[in-house]
Amino acid sequence: MESRTIKLNNGIEIDRVGLGFWEVRGAEAEKTLASAVEAGYRRIDTAMYYHNEEDVGAGIRACGIPRKELFVASKIWYTDMCGGRQEETFYKSLEALGLDYIDLYYLHWPLGEVTESWKVLERLYEAGKIRAIGVCNFQPAHLQRLLAKANVCPAVDQIESNPCFQQPQAVAFCQKEGIVPEAWGPLGKGKDLGEPLLLELAAKYEKTPAQIVLRWHLQRGLTVIPKSVHPERQRQNLDVWDFTLEEADMEKMCTLDTGKSKRGYPAEFRFDGGM
Ligand SMILES: NC(=O)c1ccc[n+]([C@@H]2O[C@H](COP(=O)([O-])OP(=O)(O)OC[C@H]3O[C@@H](n4cnc5c(N)ncnc54)[C@H](OP(=O)(O)O)[C@@H]3O)[C@@H](O)[C@H]2O)c1
């Protein structure tokens, strides 16, 4: 049977589908978390930048699932990745979430003092405050530079990936290095779900376009963290294990790639790793 979890390079097993919390704040975060755990989610993705760690923390305490059964991820924003602020920032996240450890903590962008920030994450990891450390938005050039200095290899690289912006090179590089590639914005924010090919495949497999997209990610070996505040969509996005896209359909999906992101990136960010 196909596994719904994947083992990270430090041996920790994580769910291949988690729930994203971008733009989910206040009472909606608590409600979203409650319906998500009811649907079966145990993996939660937030960040200091989302300004909802306190709300997510309240949701965690209210949801009735023991802490150790949840897998909670957060991230340090790049403007805090300098000036010796990294450790203090981590503890602020921990406090806001109301937790005494974080399961997966990421550098949010390859910007700021990357190597120094990674060293701080390594220390917190060695101290048991973080169970796994990862990066977001690192292209191969950024990873190469980090790997040359790191003692601990990132467990996960969370990158933008969706049918219209697939990032095959970044995915392949991660897989070669034993880093789990994870898709943020896996549904392209829901904006491209009306693509004719997705509608065609949805009809063929009797699934929704969102399920086709998530299934495609999983078959490429990525983990996914689709966001939805709607219980029905949350259930739908988890219900992707009872069908397999044929190889020819996986290949057809490649035709949707424009190679261009439609999302906003920090102005300082360079895809080629240049500063
Ligand atoms: N590391 C980074 O730099 C970074 C950047 C961006 C995001 N992220 C993380 O990745 C997560 C996911 O990305 P995202 O939230 O930007 O975009 P996404 O997951 O691709 O799309 C979310 C959008 O799709 C809609 N949706 C969800 N399920 C659907 C379904 N089954 N059918 C139709 N529409 C559906 C949602 O609406 P409803 O909520 O109304 O259902 C929402 O508008 C974020 O929440 C965040 O945790 C990380």
Side-chain angles (χ1 to χ4, degrees), residues 99-194:
L99 301 177
D100 52 14
Y101 66 91
I102 287 181
D103 295 279
L104 175 53
Y105 194 61
Y106 301 90
L107 301 183
H108 209 142
W109 287 93
L111 295 169
E113 295 170 6
V114 172
T115 309
E116 293 76 359
S117 304
W118 189 251
K119 295 281 162 206
V120 175
L121 265 57
E122 288 181 336
R123 280 205 302 278
L124 292 163
Y125 171 66
E126 301 297 349
K129 301 307 286 182
I130 308 174
R131 293 178 65 219
I133 52 180
V135 295
C136 298
N137 300 303
F138 275 51
Q139 291 292 314
H142 303 112
L143 281 172
Q144 268 162 340
R145 208 175 304 143
L146 180 64
L147 290 172
K149 301 269 176 62
N151 291 323
V152 179
C153 177
V156 180
D157 187 3
Q158 188 181 103
I159 52 170
E160 181 184 8
S161 186
N162 56 65
C164 296
F165 184 50
Q166 304 189 3
Q167 300 228 59
Q169 290 86 358
V171 169
F173 186 84
C174 285
Q175 288 170 331
K176 180 166 77 69
E177 297 295 333
I179 299 167
V180 169
E182 170 157 274
W184 67 253
L187 300 173
K189 263 219 166 294
K191 287 184 182 143
D192 303 315
L193 295 175

Side-chain angles (χ1 to χ4, degrees), residues 66-108:
R67 162 68 184 102
K68 63 177 187 325
E69 290 177 26
L70 295 172
F71 189 90
V72 183
S74 193
K75 318 180 184 87
I76 178 168
W77 189 242
Y78 68 92
T79 51
D80 287 317
M81 286 168 50
C82 62
R85 285 207 295 282
Q86 297 93 334
E87 188 160 332
E88 185 191 332
T89 302
F90 168 78
Y91 280 104
K92 277 188 192 158
S93 277
L94 205 59
E95 194 184 339
L97 285 160
L99 301 177
D100 52 14
Y101 66 91
I102 287 181
D103 295 279
L104 175 53
Y105 194 61
Y106 301 90
L107 301 183
H108 209 142

Side-chain angles (χ1 to χ4, degrees), residues 19-24 45-47 50 75 77 106-109 135-137 158-162 183-191 193 208-211 214 225-230 232-234 236-237 263:
L19 192 76
F21 269 81
W22 169 239
E23 287 178 322
V24 190
D45 183 82
T46 184
Y50 302 173
K75 318 180 184 87
W77 189 242
Y106 301 90
L107 301 183
H108 209 142
W109 287 93
V135 295
C136 298
N137 300 303
Q158 188 181 103
I159 52 170
E160 181 184 8
S161 186
N162 56 65
W184 67 253
L187 300 173
K189 263 219 166 294
K191 287 184 182 143
L193 295 175
T208 67
Q211 288 171 316
L214 295 172
I225 44 165
K227 170 258 172 189
S228 180
V229 297
H230 295 103
E232 203 290 310
R233 286 179 172 175
Q234 292 173 352
Q236 199 189 105
N237 296 346
R263 304 290 287 269

